[in-house]
Amino acid sequence: MPGTVVTFYSYKGGVGRSFTLANIAVLLARWGHRVLCLDWDLEAPGLDAYFRPMMSAAPSGGVVDLIDDFLVGRLRPGAHTTRLRGAEKLDVITAGRADAAYAGRVQKLDWESLYEQGFGDYLERCREQWTAEYDYILIDSRTGISDIGGICTAHLPDRLVVLFTANVQSMKGAVDIAERANVARDRMPYDRPQLPVLPVLSRFDAREEYARSEEWRRICLEETKGLFRNWLDRDVSPDVMSRHLTLPYVSYWTFGEQLPVVKELNPTADQISFALETVAAVVAHDFDRTDLLAENRDAYVAAIRAEKSTFAYDVRISTPRPAKNLADDLMKYLGELGASPVLSLSGERSLLGKADDARHLCLLVDGEVSRWQSAEVELFLHRTLGQNRRVIPVLTEDTDPNTLPGYVGNLRHLRLGPSRGPVEIARNLMDQLGGTTALIEPGDLDVAGVLRQAARAQLRPLLWGLVDEIVADLQVAIGAGESERAQELAEDLLLATRSRSTDTGSDRRVLAPPSTRMAIEWTVQIAEARATRHGFSGFLDQ
């Protein structure tokens, strides 16, 4: 899938455009995306200043060198890229080499002449290579109305982020350029859809003069609300979304070129990195799933953060101390089946902070959900809403699901029982972890286990006829996915094949006839068949 080109534009300077782009680039790269930044603000370049500590050497070329390549017939979109240290995949193409000749090179550029010579087609080929190599290409555009601004806002992007401050010139200019960009795209010879535009109110100080700040927030929303129309979920109001897309004024970060997201790794709501994370998540979600953002901002950000994450463990087994031996058995069998489990023992305070190192959470419930387990579940669900991660309760035989709190009792659970021990539960868990499902849902009885037990039984000859009937009915129930009916028949089979005190003579009991054994073996295969689940959507589908 090709990458996405996102241009960051502001009508006026001093709104923090380059600052915002640089921080969002670091976040996207941290979350596992391949990111390229381009500094197209050729008259006043400065994006490289934010990344200078991450450069091993000064850039030897940049955007102006791409233009030189075009003039001599060379296509080298990656030749002037600077790889940044300390990031998995974060590259930058600066405006150009900062030497005495730079200003003269920029002043000689004639954009109209360049486009007449075919520079537009050349840029298209560059764009194709960039989007093939990177997930996100972030462009720092020139301010105001200019030829460069047109290239950055109309020709190149798939998405446009416009930043403005709480003044009329800034916001009206941002809205105007967004409208101009879409008009220009309609006239272009390239296939470009309407441009989704993300309005970001920047450097907004709401800590003092609250009433005045709310009035200006209303003014800004009234001016920019039309920009939300083609991407915001219809159930989310522009007012709610605009508050999520507000970058606060924090004086500490106005000195020098700084990257707060490097230092504020777990920001609180009053820190600027919190707002930067939100905007970055909207970009990474391709302006989508805004209903989740309106409902739970932390889950929205966590969903994109976890999208490309790798987990140290497949599943965390949370257990109260009295059930630790059972949890140890479950860990053992899961390991033998190829999973990577980790134990969480109620009362170990350090484990609560590590709830995000396992993809799924298995809750071993012995009678009741402990307060510690409640805290684990709450933290896990808060972090993972909207992700492909789930909570899987496993109930001991004496646990009544009807007495459990709703957030656990309403989930599909696995249950230990006479025919379902840790081995069988481990197999069921592997199905859940692997995104596969049996033809019938697991119940109190392990249907395949009951069948295997029946195959080893010794019964009076007449009883084997009854077993044949039950097994035939089981085949139909399993094939039809009738889980409750399959459980009832498994219980009937268990009753029919159990040893009786009246069966005293061995001559009165015989092993299963060959035809019965074959029918049982076939039914076991059906009961253990697995199908892949499509659209696996976490704990909510359980």
Side-chain angles (χ1 to χ4, degrees), residues 7-208:
T7 289
F8 287 70
Y9 171 85
S10 62
Y11 181 73
K12 303 283 284 185
V15 305
R17 185 193 65 248
S18 300
F19 166 86
T20 302
L21 184 153
N23 279 277
I24 287 176
V26 171
L27 287 170
L28 292 174
R30 181 185 298 162
W31 296 342
H33 297 286
R34 301 166 299 167
V35 182
L36 173 66
C37 302
L38 286 94
D39 190 350
W40 271 88
D41 189 358
L42 302 185
E43 283 83 357
L47 187 61
D48 60 302
Y50 291 94
F51 296 125
R52 198 162 291 140
M54 304 167 70
M55 295 178 179
S56 55
S60 60
V63 172
V64 292
D65 298 280
L66 287 175
I67 300 167
D68 289 344
D69 287 346
F70 161 70
L71 292 172
V72 297
R74 288 193 302 256
L75 180 66
R76 304 185 305 166
H80 311 294
T81 299
T82 300
R83 174 64 52 84
L84 301 181
R85 294 178 289 117
E88 187 68 23
K89 183 66 172 178
L90 177 55
D91 299 340
V92 62
I93 298 179
T94 64
R97 186 170 58 253
D99 56 18
Y102 176 80
R105 295 171 71 188
V106 172
Q107 290 168 354
K108 290 178 182 178
L109 294 176
D110 183 340
W111 294 106
E112 184 176 353
S113 174
L114 286 169
Y115 265 79
E116 288 175 352
Q117 296 175 65
F119 185 64
D121 293 334
Y122 174 81
L123 268 186
E124 277 296 290
R125 295 197 297 273
C126 290
R127 187 183 189 280
E128 288 175 4
Q129 290 197 25
W130 289 329
T131 56
E133 186 174 350
Y134 297 93
D135 299 313
Y136 291 98
I137 299 90
L138 309 184
I139 298 175
D140 194 14
S141 173
R142 180 83 172 91
T143 58
I145 300 172
S146 63
D147 291 332
I148 293 178
I151 294 170
C152 298
T153 59
H155 183 170
L156 289 175
D158 299 300
R159 307 275 189 274
L160 181 61
V161 177
V162 293
L163 291 98
F164 57 93
T165 53
N167 68 70
V168 174
Q169 293 180 64
S170 184
M171 72 180 81
K172 281 185 175 292
V175 172
D176 179 64
I177 206 67
E179 294 172 351
R180 286 171 177 266
N182 274 317
V183 170
R185 286 162 78 87
D186 289 339
R187 299 197 302 262
M188 288 170 54
Y190 314 109
D191 184 19
R192 294 284 193 274
Q194 283 289 294
L195 192 64
V197 182
L198 192 75
V200 176
L201 174 56
S202 183
R203 296 194 170 185
F204 189 70
D205 192 350
R207 291 172 296 182
E208 299 180 7

Side-chain angles (χ1 to χ4, degrees), residues 172-447:
K172 281 185 175 292
V175 172
D176 179 64
I177 206 67
E179 294 172 351
R180 286 171 177 266
N182 274 317
V183 170
R185 286 162 78 87
D186 289 339
R187 299 197 302 262
M188 288 170 54
Y190 314 109
D191 184 19
R192 294 284 193 274
Q194 283 289 294
L195 192 64
V197 182
L198 192 75
V200 176
L201 174 56
S202 183
R203 296 194 170 185
F204 189 70
D205 192 350
R207 291 172 296 182
E208 299 180 7
E209 300 291 345
Y210 177 79
R212 188 168 176 79
S213 68
E214 283 299 298
E215 173 63 14
W216 269 99
R217 189 188 289 278
R218 185 195 62 77
I219 293 170
C220 292
L221 178 60
E222 187 64 29
E223 193 68 42
T224 61
K225 64 182 180 182
L227 301 180
F228 294 92
R229 190 174 298 116
N230 67 346
W231 59 270
L232 183 63
D233 186 279
R234 64 183 181 181
D235 294 327
V236 179
S237 71
D239 177 61
V240 168
M241 191 51 49
S242 68
R243 291 176 185 274
H244 283 296
L245 299 177
T246 299
L247 301 179
Y249 174 78
V250 181
S251 60
Y252 179 85
W253 298 113
T254 62
F255 299 100
E257 291 80 10
Q258 303 182 76
L259 295 172
V261 297
V262 173
K263 296 182 179 180
E264 298 173 349
L265 297 179
N266 295 292
T268 55
D270 60 336
Q271 293 180 304
I272 194 168
S273 295
F274 187 89
L276 288 166
E277 280 188 347
T278 306
V279 176
V282 175
V283 171
H285 277 294
D286 291 328
F287 295 17
D288 198 7
R289 302 187 70 190
T290 50
D291 54 333
L292 176 59
L293 174 55
E295 178 184 347
N296 188 325
R297 177 269 176 196
D298 290 347
Y300 186 79
V301 174
I304 207 68
R305 185 189 294 128
E307 188 175 68
K308 293 179 177 291
S309 296
T310 56
F311 294 90
Y313 305 100
D314 296 317
V315 60
R316 177 176 295 279
I317 309 294
S318 171
T319 180
R321 292 182 182 275
K324 183 177 182 301
N325 290 339
L326 186 56
D328 288 339
D329 288 340
L330 198 53
M331 295 265 296
K332 171 188 172 185
Y333 296 125
L334 282 170
E336 291 176 356
L337 291 170
S340 175
V342 62
L343 186 68
S344 173
L345 197 60
S346 290
E348 291 189 21
R349 186 175 300 276
S350 62
L351 292 176
L352 278 181
K354 298 180 180 178
D356 223 26
D357 62 354
R359 182 174 291 277
H360 305 291
L361 175 63
C362 172
L363 209 63
L364 185 55
V365 182
D366 186 21
E368 63 179 4
V369 178
S370 71
R371 286 186 296 175
W372 202 262
Q373 288 179 311
S374 294
E376 278 189 300
V377 172
E378 182 180 356
L379 181 59
F380 185 87
L381 296 184
H382 178 75
R383 289 175 169 173
T384 63
L385 181 62
Q387 299 178 37
N388 294 341
R389 301 167 68 186
R390 56 171 49 195
V391 176
I392 309 168
V394 173
L395 313 186
T396 58
E397 188 174 355
D398 297 329
T399 300
D400 182 359
N402 296 317
T403 64
L404 300 178
Y407 60 85
V408 175
N410 292 335
L411 302 179
R412 181 190 297 172
H413 61 266
L414 302 174
R415 191 184 184 95
L416 291 149
S419 67
R420 187 184 297 277
V423 174
E424 290 74 24
I425 292 294
R427 292 198 189 104
N428 293 146
L429 280 172
M430 288 299 291
D431 289 340
Q432 304 252 10
L433 303 182
T436 60
T437 184
L439 298 179
I440 53 174
E441 296 180 3
D444 291 343
L445 292 174
D446 176 30
V447 174

